[in-house]
Amino acid sequence: MASTHHAPIEEHPDLMELRARHDRAATTPRAQMIEALALITGLYLAASPWIAGFNGFTTLAITNLIAGIAYMLLLGGLGSSYERTHSMAWAAAAIGIWTCVAPWVVAGDVAHTRSITSNLITGVIATLLALAAASAASDHHDTRDASNRNSGVGQH
């Protein structure tokens, strides 16, 4: 009986090429800009009750704190783990949308000018950044699929 040696999956040429492409995509100025702006946006969202002066609304303050931290965690690793983080951009977009509606949804009378203005602006920016991250990922996948079709990769 002949024994066959199979190389570990990590050494598969297609997987190695995919990782190299993700590394190249993560080092683009666009990806770095999106990551930096997302971190600033998430940090502001977490601290916005104290910055904008509506920290007396405990439910909204805690909601913004949790949403801001979650947003930073979802999009903050875009540069270092692009192949996983870009798929989390949709969850970050949901956080951005939640931020927009939170002043009217959370318990208590928290829908005041400061909280609404801060949450709407921050939520729109957070959503746009998340969509930009998702768009960058889909552009990257579309280019890879087109190059595979042109080169005959994956055709039997």
Side-chain angles (χ1 to χ4, degrees):
M1 188 165 168
S3 92
T4 58
H5 174 70
H6 296 288
I9 190 70
E10 293 84 20
E11 295 175 12
H12 192 279
D14 290 341
L15 185 59
M16 292 171 64
E17 173 60 22
L18 182 63
R19 284 187 181 151
R21 286 177 193 225
H22 285 302
D23 289 342
R24 285 191 302 270
T27 58
T28 65
R30 179 180 179 188
Q32 292 172 350
M33 180 187 70
I34 291 170
E35 180 182 8
L37 290 173
L39 286 171
I40 291 168
T41 301
L43 181 62
Y44 175 79
L45 177 58
S48 64
W50 294 272
I51 294 171
F54 58 91
N55 57 326
F57 306 134
T58 308
T59 54
L60 187 60
I62 292 172
T63 298
N64 281 10
L65 178 65
I66 293 169
I69 292 170
Y71 188 84
M72 286 189 295
L73 291 174
L74 288 171
L75 287 184
L78 190 62
S80 61
S81 61
Y82 182 82
E83 69 273 4
R84 291 182 305 274
T85 308
H86 73 272
S87 62
M88 291 186 266
W90 295 108
I95 290 174
I97 293 167
W98 166 255
T99 300
C100 290
V101 301
W104 294 281
V105 178
V106 298
D109 183 24
V110 297
H112 295 280
T113 305
R114 286 183 183 178
S115 62
I116 292 171
T117 304
S118 178
N119 273 40
L120 281 177
I121 292 171
T122 307
V124 167
I125 291 170
T127 303
L128 292 175
L129 286 171
L131 293 176
S135 169
S138 70
D139 290 347
H140 182 262
H141 288 299
D142 292 345
T143 350
R144 186 182 73 233
D145 292 342
S147 68
N148 286 346
R149 282 192 302 272
N150 294 336
S151 67
V153 173
Q155 296 175 357
H156 298 282

